[in-house]
Amino acid sequence: MTKNETLAKSEQAADSLAGKVAVVTGAARGIGLEVARSYAAHGAKVVISDIDDAAAADAAGTVPDASARRCDVRDEDSVSDLIDHTLNLHGQVDIVVANAGIASVSPLAEMSFEMWRTMMSINLDGVFLTVKHAARAMIAAGTPGSIITVGSVTALHGTPLVGHYGAAKAAVVNLSKTAALELRPHGIRVNSILPGFAETALVTSNKQSYSDTVGVDFDAIIKQAQGGYVSVEDVAALALFLASDRASFCTGGGYVVDGGLTASLF
Ligand code: NAD
C-alpha cells in the first residue's frame, strides 16, 4: 500500500462509525433522516425514531442497517422504551441525537399559553428526556458515547415571532453544556448543533405565516442574511463529525452551521 493509500485509509477510519449503534429522534424526515442516512453510510446501525411511526418505518426502509421505533419525546416512558428497545435489539447504544422538534410562529403578545407549553414539551422537555435516558444507558454500559442535541441559531439571538422556539433552543444549548460536564467522567461527550434555516417541512409549513405577519418575503430574508438555505447534508456532516472519534476532545460545545448568518449584526 502506498503512503497516500495508507493516509486515505486512516482518514476513512477516523470517520467510520462501524460497530456503533445510533439512535436519532424525529428522524422520519428532514435533518434527522439525513443524519440517520449519514451514520448508516459510515457503518453504524441506526434506530430511526419518530412520533409518526408509519413515516419512521418508511424512512427506515430507505436506509441500510436501519430500523424504526415509535417514540414521542414528550413522554418519558416512550423515551425510556426507545433506549431499552435499542439495547435489546443491538446490545449497545453509542450515539444518540436529540433531534425531534417543531416550530410555530406568533408574536409573544398574542401567543397562547398552550402554544408556549407545546413548544416547551417537545423542543425542551423532549431533549431533557432523551439526554437523560441516553446518559443512563451509556453510564450503565461503562462505554464512551456521544450525545448530540439539535439547537438552532435562534438560541443565540432574539428572533421575532419565534420567541418560544428560541427560548427552548437556548435552554437546550445550556442543558447540553451541563450534561457535558456531568458526563465527562464517564467518557460521554455532549454537543449541540445550531443550524441556520434549512428548507425542511418545519420551515416550509411556517414561512408563509411568517411572511404574512412580518410583511417581508421569508425566502428573501434567508437569501440576504444567510446566502440561501442550509442543506440537511451540511447539518448531517457536522453531526457525523461530532459522533465520530475525530471529535474525541469536543464536548460541551455549540456549533453553528449557518452560512455566516450569526456572524452579522445586520
Ligand atoms: P421536520 O419537521 O422536517 O422534522 C421533525 C421531525 O420531528 C418530524 O419527523 C416529526 O414527526 C418529528 N416530531 C415532532 N414531534 C415529535 C415528538 N413529540 N416526538 C418525536 N418526534 C417528533 O424538521 P427539521 O427541520 O428536520 O427539524 C429537526 C430539528 O432541527 C428540530 O429540532 C428543529 O428545531 C431543528 N432545526 C431546524 C431548522 C430548520 O431550519 N429546519 C433550523 C434549526 C434547527
Side-chain angles (χ1 to χ4, degrees):
M1 195 182 292
T2 66
K3 198 171 163 195
N4 278 351
E5 283 169 343
T6 312
L7 263 175
K9 232 182 152 65
S10 72
E11 282 291 296
Q12 278 167 10
D15 264 347
S16 172
L17 301 181
K20 309 260 190 208
V21 174
V23 177
V24 187
T25 68
R29 66 183 191 209
I31 289 170
L33 178 54
E34 191 55 36
V35 170
R37 273 198 194 113
S38 162
Y39 286 177
H42 287 83
K45 293 189 168 65
V46 183
V47 177
I48 290 184
S49 157
D50 205 281
I51 193 171
D52 184 342
D53 46 352
D58 286 350
T62 68
V63 180
D65 260 337
S67 58
R69 184 74 171 182
R70 183 182 185 277
C71 173
D72 178 350
V73 296
R74 291 169 296 187
D75 173 358
E76 182 155 17
D77 289 343
S78 184
V79 176
S80 158
D81 165 81
L82 171 63
I83 300 296
D84 287 348
H85 164 81
T86 305
L87 290 172
N88 289 336
L89 189 66
H90 295 301
Q92 64 193 76
V93 54
D94 308 290
I95 301 158
V96 174
V97 185
N99 166 77
I102 58 156
S104 54
V105 296
S106 171
L108 290 169
E110 287 162 31
M111 189 179 292
S112 68
F113 189 48
E114 190 191 352
M115 183 187 265
W116 171 271
R117 283 294 335 144
T118 301
M119 181 60 64
M120 293 302 151
S121 69
I122 299 175
N123 286 20
L124 179 55
D125 300 353
V127 173
F128 159 64
L129 292 173
T130 306
V131 169
K132 172 183 169 178
H133 286 279
R136 288 170 72 88
M138 289 173 183
I139 291 169
T143 50
S146 172
I147 300 174
I148 296 164
T149 61
V150 180
S152 158
V153 288
T154 60
L156 304 176
H157 297 279
T159 318
L161 304 190
V162 291
H164 54 342
Y165 182 87
K169 293 297 189 182
V172 162
V173 173
N174 186 277
L175 173 82
S176 306
K177 291 184 188 300
T178 298
L181 297 177
E182 291 183 359
L183 298 174
R184 186 169 54 188
H186 301 280
I188 301 163
R189 298 183 293 104
V190 187
N191 292 287
S192 300
I193 294 176
L194 283 66
F197 293 87
E199 207 170 14
T200 63
L202 179 139
V203 162
T204 55
S205 63
N206 284 297
K207 69 181 182 182
Q208 192 57 49
S209 153
Y210 188 96
S211 299
D212 292 347
T213 313
V214 178
V216 183
D217 179 53
F218 188 78
D219 290 332
I221 299 175
I222 296 303
K223 182 135 189 45
Q224 199 240 326
Q226 199 180 255
Y229 284 99
V230 177
S231 72
V232 292
E233 288 83 1
D234 289 327
V235 183
L238 185 52
L240 173 63
F241 167 72
L242 290 172
S244 77
D245 291 343
R246 279 187 198 273
S248 60
F249 212 63
C250 295
T251 196
Y255 298 85
V256 296
V257 47
D258 71 349
L261 175 66
T262 51
S264 167
L265 200 53
F266 294 102

